Amino acid sequence: MFWIDFNFQHYHLAQLEICGFEANDKYMIFTRLIMEQAKNLKVVILSDEKTCDECDFQDDGTSSTGSSYPKNKEEKRLIQKQLTEGISSPVRVLVL
């Protein structure tokens, strides 16, 4: 589990990109917390891509649980709605 100071507000983060996003509670809660705390956040980009260009990390694609990434437009819209519902700032959520 992770600890977050709920009084903390971040004013420098404008874009959040999560590679290897999964539509489960862990990712949804984490993403939502960041969206609420980052006051200047404009866009959140979610992808199932598990490659990091900056550090050359590549996932071998093996997973015992399988991916829970949204598979179609309706599932992607549902993720966008769940993440933005009740958020006062106009954060765009892009589910690639």
Side-chain angles (χ1 to χ4, degrees):
M1 196 67 192
F2 52 89
W3 177 83
I4 293 183
D5 177 1
F6 290 99
N7 294 317
F8 174 78
Q9 295 182 356
H10 193 288
Y11 291 95
H12 300 289
L13 183 65
Q15 178 175 311
L16 172 66
E17 184 170 353
I18 300 177
C19 298
F21 180 83
E22 303 254 345
N24 61 38
D25 286 345
K26 179 175 73 172
Y27 281 91
M28 295 295 285
I29 290 168
F30 175 76
T31 306
R32 180 77 181 212
L33 285 171
I34 298 299
M35 290 173 65
E36 291 171 353
Q37 301 302 321
K39 299 303 175 188
N40 289 325
L41 188 64
K42 302 291 183 230
V43 65
V44 173
I45 302 169
L46 307 174
S47 75
D48 63 345
E49 180 70 33
K50 295 187 180 185
T51 302
C52 177
D53 294 335
E54 295 195 21
C55 66
D56 294 330
F57 170 80
Q58 279 199 321
D59 186 13
D60 64 3
T62 60
S63 172
S64 60
T65 61
S67 176
S68 65
Y69 190 78
K71 295 166 188 59
N72 56 48
K73 287 182 182 182
E74 187 56 37
E75 289 180 3
K76 291 177 181 184
R77 274 189 236 134
L78 181 60
I79 294 297
Q80 290 170 322
K81 181 180 178 184
Q82 289 174 339
L83 288 174
T84 57
E85 194 168 322
I87 298 284
S88 59
S89 62
V91 178
R92 258 182 46 204
V93 176
L94 303 175
V95 184
L96 306 179

